[in-house]
């Protein structure tokens, strides 16, 4: 979609108060619930088998192309390994970039490492997390990730590091009700 848009001169964000586009969404890895998030061997996430939508080097190049074409990019990334590749893509996209605001965004950011969070802060990224996932699928996550499940979506660590954190419902995967999402965020204990 990046190349097709570029061929006709389409790049975002654009629009008006009635209709606009924002970030282009790109997928890095699979899902935690589906057991296809991309974790590094060091994590020991035995219940997950990495599934990439694009090979890591192609993912990095795609993020660069979309950014250079003028898009703000949001990338679905769950596992620490996928997050690391996305960070590399954003970092490369920012090299030699104009002064425009790229606003790099991570959709889900399931398990960023402390080093990953530091890199996110350096590039001015935003993480968009879904508190209801932990309540709706927490038992499944614990079954496939063991004690790592308690480290998913580390909002407090992200906030304390100076990262911009946003919560969302990710409806239709979880309830679209905003108060349920807020309540689930407030009730989190791990």
């Amino acid at each position: 979609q990046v190349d097709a848009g570029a061929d006709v001169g389409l790049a975002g964000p654009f629009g008006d108060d009635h209709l606009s586009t924002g970030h282009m969404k790109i997928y890095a890895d699979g899902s935690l619930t589906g057991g296809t998030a991309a974790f590094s061997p060091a994590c020991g996430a035995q219940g997950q088998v990495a599934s990439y939508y694009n090979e890591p080097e192609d993912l990095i190049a795609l993020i660069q192309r979309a950014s250079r074409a003028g898009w703000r990019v949001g990338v679905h990334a769950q596992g620490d390994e996928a997050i690391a590749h996305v960070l590399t893509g954003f970092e490369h996209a920012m090299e030699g970039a104009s002064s425009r605001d790229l606003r790099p965004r991570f959709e889900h950011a399931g398990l960023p490492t402390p080093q990953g969070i530091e890199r996110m802060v350096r590039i001015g990224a935003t993480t968009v997390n879904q508190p209801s996932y932990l309540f709706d699928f927490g038992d499944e996550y614990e079954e496939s990730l063991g004690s790592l499940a308690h480290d998913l979506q580390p909002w407090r660590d992200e906030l304390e590091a100076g990262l911009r954190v946003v919560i969302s419902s990710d409806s239709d995967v979880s309830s679209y009700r905003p108060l349920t999402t807020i309540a689930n965020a407030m009730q989190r204990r791990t």
Side-chain angles (χ1 to χ4, degrees):
Q1 79 202 87
V2 173
D3 298 329
D7 289 345
V8 296
L10 182 63
F14 65 88
D16 58 27
D17 291 341
H18 301 289
L19 179 65
S20 64
T21 65
H23 286 67
M24 174 179 283
K25 186 169 183 179
I26 295 172
Y27 286 81
D29 61 349
S31 70
L32 290 168
T33 307
T36 54
F39 289 95
S40 66
C43 274
Q46 303 300 321
Q48 300 280 321
V49 178
S51 175
Y52 282 99
Y53 281 79
N54 297 283
E55 290 300 318
E57 57 277 357
D58 296 332
L59 170 67
I60 292 165
L62 179 59
I63 293 167
Q64 288 178 268
R65 276 198 337 269
S67 295
R68 290 186 180 142
W71 287 100
R72 290 180 177 155
V73 178
V75 185
H76 164 109
Q78 290 281 17
D80 68 313
E81 189 171 274
I83 291 168
H85 292 308
V86 172
L87 279 162
T88 299
F90 282 136
E91 290 163 347
H92 288 323
M94 291 179 157
E95 292 171 4
S98 66
S99 62
R100 66 184 173 81
D101 184 5
L102 296 176
R103 297 187 192 190
R105 197 164 116 171
F106 287 80
E107 305 296 328
H108 311 302
L111 191 68
T113 63
Q115 297 80 13
I117 292 171
E118 289 173 19
R119 290 172 70 191
M120 289 177 182
V121 170
R122 278 197 300 271
I123 64 171
T126 298
T127 60
V128 181
N129 297 279
Q130 295 69 36
S132 294
Y133 279 5
L134 303 174
F135 287 82
D136 295 346
F137 308 113
D139 291 341
E140 291 173 45
Y141 295 162
E142 196 160 43
E143 191 174 303
S144 75
L145 297 171
S147 63
L148 280 177
H150 298 282
D151 297 327
L152 292 171
Q153 298 186 5
W155 313 319
R156 175 61 49 208
D157 294 343
E158 293 171 353
L159 290 167
E160 288 176 356
L163 194 59
R164 186 179 310 119
V165 177
V166 175
I167 60 173
S168 78
S169 68
D170 203 31
S171 176
D172 290 336
V173 177
S174 289
S175 169
Y176 68 90
R177 296 184 307 232
L179 294 179
T180 298
T181 301
I182 293 167
N184 287 339
M186 292 176 65
Q187 294 173 24
R188 180 169 181 181
R189 297 289 175 253
T190 61

